[in-house]
Amino acid sequence: MNIMKAVVVEDFKLIATIWETLLKDLGFDEVHVFHHADGVKEGILDIKPDIVFMDVNLPGSMNGLDITEEVIKENPDIKVMMLTIHTDPSYIQRAFAIGAKGFVTKNSPISEIKDAVKAILEGKTYMCKEIGEI
């Protein structure tokens, strides 16, 4: 039996708990949560999750885009979905350029986040509707 694993990288504990609950509701067996940038890269590479929810702004030595870039360089099979408040095109372009599979804003409805997870797990890329409207 394949154990579904996810990682949530989010500094706000309430938001991290919401994402953790959502992922468990979607059938993930293990959800690992990190609230700080330090140690995240190593944690993700050790856990080998099926998907990563990555915030951009994080306390610590790196931001979510830098962590994503390093993780994907070492393991291109890891699927990262940026989940952030940022809608600036430069963040979006960089996220996809470094290998992120999705970009969803925290303003997106839960149903869209579920759609994004499904698409990414199927090997597709996903950009939320809010970004598409900008």
Side-chain angles (χ1 to χ4, degrees):
M1 183 170 125
N2 187 24
I3 294 176
M4 295 285 289
K5 296 187 271 186
V7 168
V8 173
V9 185
E10 168 61 55
D11 54 329
F12 288 97
K13 291 179 181 170
L14 175 61
I15 295 172
T17 301
I18 292 167
W19 302 151
E20 180 180 12
T21 302
L22 171 68
L23 287 161
K24 287 182 177 176
D25 288 349
L26 289 173
F28 284 83
D29 304 293
E30 294 178 19
V31 181
H32 303 264
V33 178
F34 294 86
H35 299 291
H36 197 278
D38 299 337
V40 170
K41 176 185 147 191
E42 295 79 11
I44 292 170
L45 292 170
D46 287 344
I47 294 164
K48 296 179 183 71
D50 296 282
I51 196 164
V52 176
F53 280 16
M54 180 71 72
D55 192 8
V56 171
N57 293 337
L58 298 167
S61 59
M62 299 174 77
N63 68 42
L65 290 166
D66 295 335
I67 295 166
T68 297
E69 184 172 23
E70 288 196 10
V71 164
I72 292 173
K73 274 184 187 172
E74 290 194 37
N75 186 343
D77 294 331
I78 293 180
K79 296 173 176 75
V80 177
M81 179 172 78
M82 305 307 298
L83 193 50
T84 180
I85 61 168
H86 294 285
T87 58
D88 185 298
S90 65
Y91 285 100
I92 301 160
Q93 290 166 350
R94 178 161 181 232
F96 286 111
I98 62 177
K101 299 300 181 196
F103 199 100
V104 178
T105 67
K106 291 180 182 176
N107 199 37
S108 300
I110 293 289
S111 60
E112 187 171 23
I113 295 169
K114 290 178 180 179
D115 291 345
V117 169
K118 183 179 179 207
I120 291 166
L121 291 177
E122 290 173 353
K124 301 172 188 167
T125 58
Y126 191 93
M127 185 166 50
C128 71
K129 291 173 180 59
E130 181 184 11
I131 298 296
E133 294 170 359
I134 293 175

